[in-house]
Amino acid sequence: MLHTLHVSTRSRAELVDITAQVQDMVRSSEVSEGICLVYVPHTTAGVTINEGADPDVRRDILEQLERLVPKDGRYHHLEGNADAHIKASLLGSSVLVPISDGRLSLGTWQAIFLAEFDGPRSRKVLVQVMGG
Ligand code: ZN
């Protein structure tokens, strides 16, 4: 079952918590044991799992990525979003989460984030639930 989640991002760089929406898709799929693929079909956005409780963790991740790959660095790609492509590749375009008892097996502090690096934009997240 392939579901599409539409996310409107609000800033150029942002980590959007999509855990609840992904969990809803797992629930509606009625898969009890399996895996959930969360995939972002974009080149300047990614997906990552990290702490959802303290928003400062999100801030630190974004600030350190900006320090590593500054927007105004020297790049060959001339669209003005070379940093966003690199940041998206650093985080990756998919995550896999085990499903147990019909729920995502995330750790207590873990959340799934769409990572926007060239917003604000409308983004798609594809969620494929596999199992039985
Ligand atoms: Zn580009």
Side-chain angles (χ1 to χ4, degrees):
M1 261 169 282
L2 184 64
H3 308 264
T4 304
L5 175 65
H6 298 274
V7 181
S8 298
T9 60
R10 292 174 186 178
S11 352
R12 183 165 195 271
E14 183 183 3
L15 293 178
V16 182
D17 189 339
I18 55 170
T19 313
Q21 293 95 314
V22 176
Q23 182 61 64
D24 283 347
M25 288 169 171
V26 170
R27 194 175 299 121
S28 69
S29 74
E30 295 180 359
V31 166
S32 163
E33 306 294 322
I35 52 174
C36 177
L37 169 71
V38 182
Y39 176 77
V40 174
H42 299 290
T43 60
T44 55
V47 63
T48 191
I49 294 177
N50 213 297
E51 167 155 346
D54 180 359
D56 279 344
V57 173
R58 262 172 270 185
R59 236 174 111 190
D60 285 335
I61 291 170
L62 291 173
E63 285 183 10
Q64 289 303 321
L65 283 171
E66 185 57 34
R67 230 159 267 162
L68 281 170
V69 190
K71 182 182 188 307
D72 298 322
R74 297 182 61 175
Y75 304 106
H76 298 286
H77 180 62
L78 295 177
E79 270 184 341
N81 62 0
D83 66 307
H85 288 288
I86 295 166
K87 288 164 184 158
S89 267
L90 285 174
L91 265 59
S93 55
S94 68
V95 293
L96 271 178
V97 183
I99 298 166
S100 176
D101 223 359
R103 296 193 55 81
L104 295 166
S105 300
L106 291 167
T108 308
W109 307 110
Q110 283 185 313
I112 306 170
F113 295 101
L114 166 71
E116 174 64 84
F117 295 115
D118 196 22
R121 286 189 192 217
S122 294
R123 298 296 196 176
K124 276 198 288 195
V125 180
L126 304 182
V127 179
Q128 178 104 52
V129 182
M130 292 159 279

